[in-house]
Amino acid sequence: MRNILKLSLCTLLVIFMSACDNLTELDGLLDNPNAVTADKAELDLVYNQVVLDFRDFAYTASDITMQFVRMRHMFGPLYDNATSPATFNGIWNEAYSNLFPDMDLVIEIASADGLNTFTGSVKVMKAYVLMTLVDLFGDVPFSEAGQGVENPSPAADDDAAVYAAALGLLDAAIAELGSPKGTPANDLYYGGDAGKWLKLANTMKLRYYVQTRLVDNNVSAVNALMSSTISSASDDFAFPYGTERNNPFSRHPKYGAYETGGGNYMSNWMMWEMFGDKETEDPRLRYYFYRQDCDEVGEDLFTLDCLDFGLPLHYPGTYRGPFCTASNDKFGDPDGEYGGYWGRTHGNEDGIPPDGLKRTTWGLYPAGGKFDADDCTGIGNAGVDGGLGAGIHPIMLSSFVDFLKAEAVLTMGANGDAAMFLEDGIRKSIAKTMSFSSKAPVDAAFVPSDMQIEAYVTEVLDAFNAADADGKLQLVVNEYRLAAHGQGLEIFNAYRRTGKPAGMQPTRVADPGAFPRTFWYPSSYVDRNAKASQRANLEEQVFWDTNPPRFIN
């Protein structure tokens, strides 16, 4: 029996050692279960995921920054607490956990077969993500990022170096897109058209040089790019949303207000600008905003607690804009013509009353909502109104490019006519907005006429031609801001870069603190990275922002 037992134990030991050898061999073959390797990835599927994650990243950056430049309401009341470190966890994780690994995987797979349309387009998107991270946070991890367990705490790179790396990606993309090969099956931006991606890459370079003009006035580079950028609506870089409510939900995020009512408070300042700041009503007004209630009659301090307030004492004596609602008869709309533009004052942190079916909300452009034809009905109808959410997220439109070129002419001495670029930008924006008439019922009686459009353009150009250099820049950036409805990042950058538009509605409190020149680092980054630390305040400036401290508010 003892001999049999010994034999059995020896046999088991041999089997165990053999199994250990096999397991050791398998260890070398195991892949990270959280990552797809190049030999197992389906290129078009990974590319599709990049497209969708990039959409989410760009949308989030825009949505956060719109609040600070009075494109939608900011609760505040102080700039330091208008956002928190947790606000940015999503966009940070989207970049570092999702986008960068998948982008690098697409580049690796596609490069092996010389599929330049894949690699070039992804490098354009990666450059945009890198520049946006810098624009929001300053120094961010780059050279040590993405190393996994080998380096779980990557150090932050100098923000200028990250920007330079993004420029290098754009240069590589331009070279690759000039010799295209392969057509992505899931390119929801340009349908795999390498020529359109090439124009976008050149546009992003132009944007780079305008953005960095305070530290490097590279006017020759700008001049070289003037004729090779996005120039028409067919080249616009925007994500198109669908109308599907279920499986999967494909509607514009802002269309969520049409499901249950409510949604974002719109900016009183921006709405008033479009009907009260000029002699001519802005042709885009009824496309941008939808009024659920066309007056403030019968409201009390429960639904509109500011109706009986006077202007805050810290508002300048020259202030001629709105307060409480954009159409408040006391301030915004003295003759009562534009009743019902019900938003909020910049930095109003009051609680939310039962006004979800009263407040002005997102309209037909860009959210795929309703066109405002004075019907003034509540929209919480389970998502059956207007364009059913078939809007867009505008990332870089041809109109935006014209405003950038006008700024370059005025501030860098670039070639071209600033007035011509300004006019082209306005006209392209109006045409883009009115093209949404095909997405939902539009009452022809309220569609702006050619005469109204011409009157609007003429009024702006007359003011531009009569203005001094500072006034010209003010007009260009403000018209850019009005055209960029739904795209906050570009205007947030322009505001820090130029200080324009000056004179926007002040915050509701007298001292909101310093306007954010960068944002809080995400808590997910600071808490998990041994080399990271939270900034002391939001006054730290990005390398391209050399303007004086507190020169904007």
Side-chain angles (χ1 to χ4, degrees), residues 80-319:
D80 276 1
N81 64 17
T83 60
S84 71
T87 302
F88 303 97
N89 286 343
I91 193 170
W92 187 272
N93 296 339
E94 191 74 76
Y96 285 100
S97 298
N98 299 335
L99 274 168
F100 289 152
D102 283 351
M103 286 174 163
D104 292 342
L105 183 58
V106 169
I107 292 170
E108 179 184 352
I109 299 170
S111 294
D113 295 320
L115 300 176
N116 288 343
T117 306
F118 285 87
T119 59
S121 58
V122 166
K123 286 177 182 179
V124 174
M125 289 187 278
K126 186 173 182 179
Y128 183 95
V129 173
L130 286 171
M131 287 192 286
T132 300
L133 289 171
V134 170
D135 295 338
L136 299 179
F137 305 113
D139 297 345
V140 293
F142 173 64
S143 61
E144 294 184 4
Q147 298 176 9
V149 294
E150 294 181 8
N151 186 1
S153 295
D157 290 83
D158 178 72
D159 50 1
V162 178
Y163 241 60
L167 181 62
L169 284 171
L170 291 174
D171 286 333
I174 289 169
E176 291 163 10
L177 293 165
S179 302
K181 179 183 177 183
T183 303
N186 299 304
D187 177 2
L188 300 178
Y189 298 104
Y190 288 134
D193 189 328
K196 294 183 183 296
W197 280 107
L198 179 58
K199 289 181 181 180
L200 177 63
N202 286 318
T203 301
M204 288 296 129
K205 280 193 70 172
L206 175 74
R207 175 181 182 261
Y208 171 95
Y209 288 118
V210 174
Q211 188 82 311
T212 59
R213 63 176 177 79
L214 295 175
V215 293
D216 179 18
N217 193 67
N218 195 338
V219 66
S220 60
V222 169
N223 288 336
L225 291 162
M226 283 289 198
S227 61
S228 57
T229 59
I230 291 171
S231 59
S232 67
S234 63
D235 300 328
D236 285 348
F237 187 47
F239 184 86
Y241 290 94
T243 61
E244 181 59 49
R245 191 181 183 206
N246 300 299
N247 300 321
F249 183 89
S250 67
R251 297 175 170 186
H252 194 290
K254 297 303 183 190
Y255 190 78
Y258 289 78
E259 298 283 340
T260 58
N264 299 137
Y265 281 105
M266 308 309 292
S267 164
N268 279 337
W269 175 256
M270 185 162 176
M271 290 190 291
W272 172 82
E273 279 187 292
M274 299 187 77
F275 68 74
D277 191 35
K278 300 182 180 76
E279 293 295 325
T280 309
E281 178 187 301
D282 194 306
R284 297 160 292 195
L285 176 67
R286 291 177 179 272
Y287 292 86
Y288 279 14
F289 307 110
Y290 180 77
R291 291 170 296 163
Q292 300 184 82
D293 186 343
C294 280
D295 58 47
E296 293 83 35
V297 175
E299 302 304 333
D300 55 30
L301 296 182
F302 187 50
T303 51
L304 268 177
D305 66 358
C306 53
L307 268 180
D308 288 340
F309 291 4
L311 283 176
L313 296 178
H314 63 278
Y315 273 40
T318 56
Y319 180 76

